[in-house]
Amino acid sequence: MYLEDLQNPEIEYISVKISTIYSQISSLAFKHTVEILKERLSRLYRMAQNHCFTRQNGVRTPKFVNLDMEEYRDLDITRTTFNADPR
């Protein structure tokens, strides 16, 4: 759904909660969870970068992805995922 929204020329930004892109978030499987989230968020960020929104004044800008920090218990997973080396 997020990928489709980013391709829609009428949508400028999306707000993403990590639990909506991976429902099996687990601090017990920290590394695995981060790897899954990293791959899925990277796909969203690439899609946002490759699709532009055209404002009413004609200015084109890349789509914006807002990472919504929904649960304090997931803070370390979210921070680690966001700061992870993309290689």
Side-chain angles (χ1 to χ4, degrees):
M1 173 121 173
Y2 290 130
L3 293 173
E4 291 171 7
D5 288 344
L6 288 169
Q7 292 177 44
N8 183 333
E10 296 179 10
I11 295 177
E12 183 174 5
Y13 72 92
I14 61 171
S15 184
V16 176
K17 294 182 179 189
I18 62 170
S19 64
T20 63
I21 60 172
Y22 185 54
S23 63
Q24 305 301 313
I25 294 169
S26 171
S27 58
L28 297 175
F30 191 91
K31 184 176 178 180
H32 176 74
T33 298
V34 166
E35 288 300 314
I36 297 286
L37 289 170
K38 182 172 92 171
E39 185 272 323
R40 293 181 183 180
L41 282 172
S42 293
R43 192 177 328 152
L44 288 175
Y45 292 139
R46 280 191 300 273
M47 181 72 71
Q49 185 176 18
N50 293 325
H51 288 80
C52 290
F53 176 78
T54 304
R55 297 196 171 128
Q56 288 183 349
N57 64 3
V59 172
R60 290 175 47 91
T61 182
K63 304 282 180 124
F64 183 81
V65 177
N66 177 60
L67 185 55
D68 186 342
M69 302 292 285
E70 63 184 310
E71 296 283 339
Y72 182 77
R73 68 179 170 82
D74 296 333
L75 178 61
D76 287 338
I77 287 173
T78 303
R79 282 189 10 213
T80 301
T81 300
F82 186 76
N83 293 318
D85 185 347
R87 287 180 259 147

